[in-house]
Amino acid sequence: MEVFPRTSSRRLDKAVETFMVWVLRAGGWASVLVTFGIVITLVTESWPFFREVPLIRLFQDTMWTPLFAQPQYGIGALLAGTLVTTGVALLVAIPLGTILAIYLSEFADPKFRDWVKPMLELLSAVPTVVYGYFALLSLTPILQKIFPDLPQFSMLSAGLMMGVMIVPYVTSLGEDAMRSVPMLLREGAFALGDGKLGVGLRVVFPGAFSGLAAAYVLAISRAVGETMIVAIAAGLQPKMTMNPLDSAATVTAFIVQVSLGDLPHGSIGYQSIFAAGAALFLMTLGFNLAGHALRRRFHRAT
Amino acid sequence: MQPEPLRTLQEGRARRRRAIDSNFRRLGFFLTLSTLGILAILMLNLAMNGLARIDWQFMSSFPSRRAGEAGILSAWVGTLLLMLVTASAAIPFGVAAGIYLEEYAPKNRWTAFVEINIANLAGVPSILYGLMALGLFVYQFRFGQSLLSGGLALGCLVLPIVIVATRESLRTIPSGIREAAFALGATRWQAVWHHLLPYSTGGIATGVILAMSRAIGESAPLITIGALTFIAFLPPAPLISHAPFVSVDWLFSPFTALPIQMFNWVSRPGEEFQSNAAAAGLILMVITLSMNAAAILLRRRAQRNITW
Amino acid sequence: MSLSPENARQAIPESDASESKDLPKVQIRGVNFFYGSHQVLRNVSMDVPALKVTALIGPSGCGKTTLLRCLNRMHDLYPGNRYEGSIQVQPDGTDILGSGVDPIQVRMRFGMVFQKPNPFPKSIYENVAYGLRLQGMNRRRELDERVEKALREAALWEEVKSRLHQMAHNLSGGQQQRLCIARAVATDPDVVLFDEPTSALDPIATSKIEELIVELKKRVTVMIVTHNLQQAGRISDMTAFMYLGELIEFGETNRMFTNPAKPQTEDYISGRFG
Ligand SMILES: Nc1ncnc2c1ncn2[C@@H]1O[C@H](COP(=O)(O)OP(=O)(O)O)[C@@H](O)[C@H]1O
Ligand SMILES: [Mg+2]
C-alpha cells in the first residue's frame, strides 16, 4: 500500500506557526505602542510647561495667552470654545440623528434603509477641511442674514457644520442598536394597540438606550476632538465666552494656530500645544471609555 | 359587545395614532432627504466655484502667490506618496493585529486591555496623532517634517479602522470552517492563510479603502507636524535610473498634500484663492466619495458572493 | 512514543482485514474531561473495535460530542479544556492523550464529519484535495487519483465528475455532506468520526449517507454520534449508551436493542426519556 509523506513537512509547519504567532502578536503590540507613543509624547513634551505653570493658574487666569510676554494660562478660555462648539453640534446631531435612527429602524422600507444608510455615512467621510470651507464661505453668510451682528468667524457656524458631520455617527450606531431590540418586545406593545411611533419611543428607545447613549457619547468625543472645521470657521483667538454668536478658539484650534507659526522645539509655544493636547486626550479618553463600556453593556444585554 | 362610548373612544385613539405615525413617517423621510441634500449642496457648491478652475495648468503647477497661476502638482503628488507610506504602515500591522486578536489571542487581561486600547484609539482626535508625530517622529526619531513622519502619523490614525474591519470580516466566517480545517490537520496559521484570509479579503479590502479615504482627507495631523509650508518642488523620485533603481530619499522630503493646500487657500482672502480652494475641495470630495462608494459596493458584493 | 502511521499500515495488511476485525482499534481508558472546571465526561472506558461502526447514543447533553472530539483532540483548540485518562490507538498503542503527542498528527489519523455540512468555499476538487495537500502531497496526478477515489467512496463521483472545479457551495445539502465525507476519507485515516452527520438532512440524503457509512467500514473504523435510535440500529455493529457523562452500557447493537442489561438503557431505548 502506498504511503505518502504524512509527517515530512510537520517541522516546517511548526516553525512557520511559531514565527507567525510572533508576527501577528507584533501587530497587536503596534496598536498598544501607538497609545504609549501618544501618552508618552504628551507627558514628556508638556512636562516643562506644567513645571513652570502652577496648576492653579490654569483655572484662575481668565485668558489663554501663553505666547505673550505677560503670559496668562486660563485654559478655561479654550475649554469654553470647545464646550460651546460641541454644544451647538450636539443640539443638531442628537435630535436629528435620533429621529433619523427611529425613522430608519422602525418606519423606513428595508430596501430604502439599506440604500440610505451608507449614503448618510458618506457625510462623515467628507474631509473636514471641506466642511470648514463650506461653513466659512457659505453657511456663515447665510447665518449673517439671520444674525446681522454675526462676525466672520463664529462658533455657531462651526458648531452647526460639525453637527451635520456627526449626524451619521448617531444615526448609524443608534439604528444598529434599535434594530437589535428583539421583535418580540415590539409585538407585545403592538398587540396592545400602540402605534409605531409609540412603540418606537416607549419600547425600542428604552430597550436600545445604552446603545444610543454609546452613540451620543462617541459623538461628543468626535465633536470635542474635531479640528479643521473650528480652526477654519470659529476663529483662532482664545476668548472666554459662552456666546455661540461670538468667535473663539477651541483647544484643537489653538494647537493648529500655534502649529501654523514657527515652532522651535522646546519653546513655550511648543510645550503649550502638548499641554492643550494632554487636556484634549484626557477628555476624549473619558468619553471613549464610557462609550466603549456602554456599547459592551448593550451587546451583553441583547 | 362593548359599550358604545368605549368603542368610539378606541376608534378615536387608533385614528390619532395612525395620524401621528404617518406624520412622523413624513417627517423622517423629509429629514433623511434634507440631510442627504446637504451632501448634494456641498458638491454643487464646490463644483460651481471650483470646476472651472480644474484644468491641466491647475494639475501641473506648483502653488504660487498669484492665485491664477497656482496649482496642486506638489499637493497631489504629496498625497499620493503619503498614502504609500500610510498604507504600508497601516495594512500589515492592522491586518496582523486583527488576525491576532480574532484567531489567536487568549482571553486574558492583556487581551482585554488591547481591545479597550483599540476602541479608545479609534476615538482619539486626529490632531493628537499629529502631536505624537511631532514629538516622536519629527524630533525624537529625527525624521523631520517629512513624508515619512506624515505618512506614519496617518498610518497610526487609521490603524484601528483596519484592525476593526479585519476582525469583523473574520468574525463572519462560521466556526465550522475553522473546525473543518483543523480537523484535517491544519495548524492555526494554515487555517488562517488557506481559508480565513482568502474568505475575508472582501471585508478587509473594504476596511482598507475606507481607512485610506479617511487618511486622504486628514489635514490636522499634517499641519501639526509643520507641513503647511510653501512647497514648490517635488520630492525626489522613488525610481532612479541607476542601480539599485529605487531610492528612499523621497521619504525624508518636505511635502504638502491636497487637504492642507486647500486649507492654505481657504484661509487667504480673495475670491480667486477661494475658487482654488473649491477646486481642490472638489477633487478631494470626488476621491473620498468614490472610494467610499467603491467600499460600499465591494461590501455588498462580498456579502452576496459568500453566503454561509 | 511517537506516532508512526506508516508502521500502523504495515502492521495491518489489507488482506488480513477480516481476521483483525475483532481487534480493538481504539482503547479508551478512564477518560475524564473538563470544560474549565465543569466535568463533562466521567471515567469513560471502552474498546472501539476495528473496521466496525460504533454508535454513541444518549440524551442530548450527555457528552457524546465531547467524547468524540477527545479522539481527534479538537478540544485542544480552545483554552481551559482538560483531559484525564488515556486513549490508545492500536496497533501501535500510542496514547493520543499523552503529553508529547502532536494533536495535529492525531487529527491526520482521525477524520471528522460534522453535524452541519461545512465545505470550504472553494471548488469541489480543492475541498477534497486540501487534506492531502496538508499532508505534503502536491503532485497533480497523485492528487487527481486520490480525489477521484475519495469522491467514489463518498458515492459522489458520478454526480460531480463533470464539474470538479465548480464551487462546493452550489451542491445540495446532502451532496455537501458527502463531499465532507470524501474530504475526511481522502487521506486514508484510521478512524472516521461522525457527529450526527444526518441531522441537517432530508430522509433521502440521510439514507444515502447511511449506506455510505456501512460501505466505509470495510476500510476504516467508524464512530458515529446519533440521536436517532433507528439510525444506530440500522448501521452500527456496536452501540455505546451514555448518560450524564458516564458510559452506562456498551455492547453489540443487536443485543443492546433487544436485551439491554441496564435499566437506564432500557428506559432510553424504549423512549421513556431523552
Ligand atoms: N464548549 C463548552 N464549554 C462548556 N460546556 C460545554 C461546552 N460544550 C458542551 N458543554 C457541555 O457539556 C455537556 C455535554 O455536551 P455535548 O458533548 O455537546 O453533548 P451531546 O453531544 O451529547 O448532546 C453539556 O452539558 C454541555 O452543556
Ligand atoms: Mg452533540
Side-chain angles (χ1 to χ4, degrees):
Chain A
M1 174 169 178
E2 168 246 9
V3 169
F4 53 88
R6 279 192 183 219
T7 54
S8 66
S9 61
R10 265 304 283 155
R11 202 172 293 152
L12 179 66
D13 290 347
K14 268 189 170 161
V16 170
E17 177 72 25
T18 315
F19 175 71
M20 285 318 297
V21 171
W22 281 101
V23 168
L24 299 175
R25 200 177 283 153
W29 282 341
S31 74
V32 176
L33 281 182
V34 173
T35 303
F36 278 7
I38 293 175
V39 171
I40 287 174
T41 313
L42 290 176
V43 169
T44 56
E45 305 285 335
S46 67
W47 190 248
F49 178 90
F50 286 116
R51 274 234 308 242
E52 194 147 312
V53 182
L55 270 180
I56 186 98
R57 287 199 62 188
L58 292 179
F59 303 103
Q60 267 179 354
D61 290 4
T62 52
M63 293 204 296
W64 175 263
T65 53
L67 306 183
F68 285 12
Q70 302 273 303
Q72 289 237 37
Y73 300 105
I75 200 166
L78 293 181
L79 293 179
T82 295
L83 196 69
V84 173
T85 49
T86 301
V88 173
L90 293 180
L91 279 180
V92 177
I94 287 184
L96 182 57
T98 309
I99 291 176
L100 292 187
I102 295 178
Y103 170 68
L104 289 179
S105 118
E106 306 299 311
F107 288 80
D109 182 78
K111 278 215 183 94
F112 179 74
R113 173 180 63 213
D114 289 347
W115 183 80
V116 153
K117 232 179 127 184
M119 293 284 285
L120 278 174
E121 280 164 15
L122 288 181
L123 272 178
S124 58
V126 172
T128 51
V129 58
V130 171
Y131 277 127
Y133 161 93
F134 188 76
L136 181 69
L137 299 177
S138 304
L139 185 57
T140 301
I142 295 172
L143 291 173
Q144 278 168 335
K145 298 217 166 84
I146 309 169
F147 307 101
D149 294 335
L150 196 73
Q152 189 194 0
F153 300 105
S154 76
M155 294 191 280
L156 178 66
S157 174
L160 289 176
M161 202 74 252
M162 211 149 78
V164 170
M165 179 194 86
I166 295 170
V167 166
Y169 288 95
V170 179
T171 303
S172 197
L173 287 172
E175 198 258 351
D176 286 344
M178 295 177 123
R179 215 164 5 135
S180 58
V181 171
M183 212 52 212
L184 214 62
L185 289 182
R186 290 189 182 83
E187 283 169 1
F190 281 128
L192 293 174
D194 209 342
K196 275 198 169 186
L197 186 62
V199 172
L201 292 178
R202 275 184 284 272
V203 176
V204 180
F205 190 86
F209 189 74
S210 55
L212 277 162
Y216 298 158
V217 169
L218 293 177
I220 299 175
S221 175
R222 283 281 146 197
V224 168
E226 173 46 38
T227 306
M228 295 317 289
I229 300 178
V230 288
I232 293 173
L236 294 172
Q237 294 313 314
K239 199 187 282 181
M240 185 71 98
T241 171
M242 297 298 261
N243 180 4
L245 300 179
D246 215 340
S247 81
T250 60
V251 178
T252 51
F254 166 74
I255 299 175
V256 167
Q257 187 245 329
V258 176
S259 303
L260 290 177
D262 198 20
L263 195 62
H265 188 201
S267 62
I268 183 77
Y270 179 88
Q271 291 158 5
S272 72
I273 58 174
F274 284 92
L280 187 61
F281 183 80
L282 287 180
M283 282 190 279
T284 51
L285 178 71
F287 290 122
N288 292 340
L289 294 185
H292 182 66
L294 283 166
R295 243 168 111 168
R296 272 242 303 259
R297 164 154 10 132
F298 180 69
H299 283 301
R300 225 170 311 131
T302 47
Chain B
M1 184 82 198
Q2 285 169 341
E4 228 13 67
L6 184 60
R7 268 191 43 198
T8 47
L9 199 70
Q10 282 174 343
E11 272 168 19
R13 281 266 166 91
R15 203 171 318 121
R16 227 182 60 215
R17 276 193 199 114
R18 271 199 301 277
I20 291 176
D21 278 358
S22 68
N23 283 338
F24 184 82
R25 181 189 297 277
R26 258 177 248 137
L27 175 74
F29 186 69
F30 169 76
L31 288 178
T32 306
L33 289 195
S34 324
T35 312
L36 289 180
I38 297 174
L39 197 63
I41 292 173
L42 224 58
M43 277 303 267
L44 268 177
N45 179 303
L46 290 171
M48 269 162 33
N49 293 313
L51 193 55
R53 196 60 195 84
I54 299 176
D55 53 16
W56 176 245
Q57 178 271 329
F58 189 67
M59 302 300 289
S60 62
S61 301
F62 288 114
S64 158
R65 253 169 287 279
R66 277 184 292 266
E69 290 169 13
I72 55 168
L73 178 60
S74 45
W76 70 256
V77 172
T79 288
L80 208 69
L81 293 175
L82 267 180
M83 288 311 110
L84 211 61
V85 179
T86 302
S88 354
I91 298 174
F93 282 106
V95 173
I99 295 173
Y100 180 73
L101 289 172
E102 205 54 36
E103 305 294 334
Y104 283 83
K107 287 234 173 314
N108 57 22
R109 290 221 184 127
W110 170 249
T111 305
F113 170 73
V114 174
E115 302 210 349
I116 292 181
N117 167 60
I118 290 168
N120 174 54
L121 219 45
V124 168
S126 61
I127 195 161
L128 292 182
Y129 289 91
L131 287 178
M132 174 192 69
L134 178 65
L136 211 57
F137 303 150
V138 176
Y139 290 116
Q140 207 66 46
F141 299 167
R142 298 176 194 287
F143 294 160
Q145 303 175 333
S146 61
L147 281 164
L148 183 58
S149 296
L152 287 180
L154 297 179
C156 295
L157 170 72
V158 299
L159 185 68
I161 304 180
V162 180
I163 295 177
V164 171
T166 304
R167 295 189 68 177
E168 280 179 358
S169 146
L170 287 171
R171 215 173 296 152
T172 58
I173 301 174
S175 62
I177 293 291
R178 292 173 182 80
E179 296 219 318
F182 290 136
L184 289 167
T187 62
R188 222 169 252 278
W189 173 248
Q190 284 171 327
V192 168
W193 185 244
H194 297 149
H195 302 285
L196 306 180
L197 267 185
Y199 310 154
S200 55
T201 39
I204 296 176
T206 305
V208 165
I209 294 176
L210 290 176
M212 289 303 124
S213 119
R214 168 89 194 274
I216 283 181
E218 275 295 339
S219 22
L222 303 180
I223 292 173
T224 320
I225 64 166
L228 191 82
T229 41
F230 188 78
I231 302 286
F233 55 86
L234 293 182
L239 298 175
I240 49 179
S241 60
H242 51 88
F245 303 107
V246 286
S247 154
V248 293
D249 289 347
W250 60 275
L251 281 172
F252 299 94
S253 165
F255 67 99
T256 183
L258 274 173
I260 41 182
Q261 187 60 61
M262 176 175 178
F263 173 65
N264 184 338
W265 281 328
V266 172
S267 41
R268 289 200 195 193
E271 294 253 317
E272 282 206 298
F273 278 116
Q274 283 162 14
S275 49
N276 283 355
L282 185 61
I283 292 172
L284 264 181
M285 283 282 273
V286 169
I287 295 174
T288 50
L289 294 191
S290 43
M291 285 174 87
N292 274 269
I296 294 167
L297 293 180
L298 197 63
R299 184 164 45 198
R300 290 258 161 96
R301 238 193 47 189
Q303 278 167 357
R304 201 153 5 101
N305 278 0
I306 300 183
T307 41
W308 299 105
Chain C
M1 169 162 190
S2 79
L3 264 175
S4 55
E6 291 83 352
N7 295 342
R9 252 152 246 283
Q10 280 150 14
I12 312 179
E14 276 186 355
S15 56
D16 283 349
S18 56
E19 288 163 26
S20 64
K21 266 199 168 180
D22 284 316
L23 286 177
K25 180 71 198 171
V26 181
Q27 296 172 303
I28 302 172
R29 291 284 174 274
V31 167
N32 295 316
F33 182 82
F34 304 81
Y35 288 110
S37 59
H38 174 38
Q39 182 168 8
V40 171
L41 294 182
R42 291 166 199 280
N43 196 19
V44 173
S45 299
M46 62 192 272
D47 282 355
V48 180
L51 303 183
K52 291 201 169 164
V53 175
T54 300
L56 293 177
I57 61 171
S60 164
C62 68
K64 308 180 292 293
T65 300
T66 304
L67 177 61
L68 202 69
R69 289 163 66 96
C70 287
L71 295 170
N72 65 346
R73 298 277 300 264
M74 285 302 268
H75 295 302
D76 287 50
L77 294 166
Y78 307 94
N81 297 342
R82 189 158 56 85
Y83 314 86
E84 285 171 6
S86 73
I87 300 177
Q88 292 191 339
V89 186
Q90 295 303 349
D92 48 307
T94 313
D95 173 14
I96 59 171
L97 297 185
S99 59
V101 170
D102 180 359
I104 287 181
Q105 291 192 15
V106 175
R107 289 179 208 137
M108 288 180 174
R109 276 180 88 170
F110 285 76
M112 183 168 235
V113 177
F114 296 81
Q115 200 162 352
K116 258 182 72 185
N118 55 356
F120 302 123
K122 291 179 185 281
S123 71
I124 294 168
Y125 182 94
E126 281 305 324
N127 263 280
V128 182
Y130 183 65
L132 299 164
R133 290 190 198 277
L134 278 181
Q135 298 193 12
M137 184 187 281
N138 287 310
R139 280 188 299 275
R140 188 76 202 186
R141 268 219 4 240
E142 253 176 318
L143 279 177
D144 287 350
E145 278 170 22
R146 289 275 189 158
V147 169
E148 176 174 345
K149 181 161 163 270
L151 285 169
R152 282 189 192 282
E153 273 182 321
L156 194 57
W157 175 253
E158 294 302 325
E159 290 158 64
V160 301
K161 64 182 176 190
S162 60
R163 46 178 176 146
L164 287 177
H165 296 284
Q166 288 180 18
M167 288 294 278
H169 281 89
N170 296 333
L171 299 174
S172 73
Q175 288 174 320
Q176 287 189 11
Q177 193 62 306
R178 278 182 280 148
L179 179 65
C180 292
I181 294 174
R183 183 173 70 182
V185 300
T187 52
D188 277 333
D190 296 3
V191 181
V192 180
L193 311 169
F194 290 83
D195 189 356
E196 304 196 19
T198 59
S199 63
L201 303 179
D202 62 68
I204 294 175
T206 298
S207 71
K208 272 194 188 150
I209 292 203
E210 288 181 1
E211 280 168 34
L212 202 62
I213 290 172
V214 173
E215 273 298 300
L216 268 182
K217 74 174 177 184
K218 290 181 185 155
R219 222 165 61 73
V220 294
T221 304
V222 172
M223 285 184 79
I224 176 168
V225 169
T226 176
H227 61 267
N228 180 334
L229 290 178
Q230 283 83 21
Q231 182 169 66
R234 279 193 297 270
I235 64 174
S236 73
D237 305 297
M238 303 291 285
T239 296
F241 170 62
M242 294 179 67
Y243 183 56
L244 295 178
E246 286 180 58
L247 179 66
I248 304 294
E249 191 172 351
F250 176 50
E252 288 199 16
T253 302
N254 283 337
R255 207 244 332 128
M256 285 268 287
F257 276 72
T258 51
N259 188 17
K262 299 274 172 66
Q264 288 123 305
T265 316
E266 186 171 357
D267 287 352
Y268 182 69
I269 286 172
S270 57
R272 249 167 285 180
F273 74 91

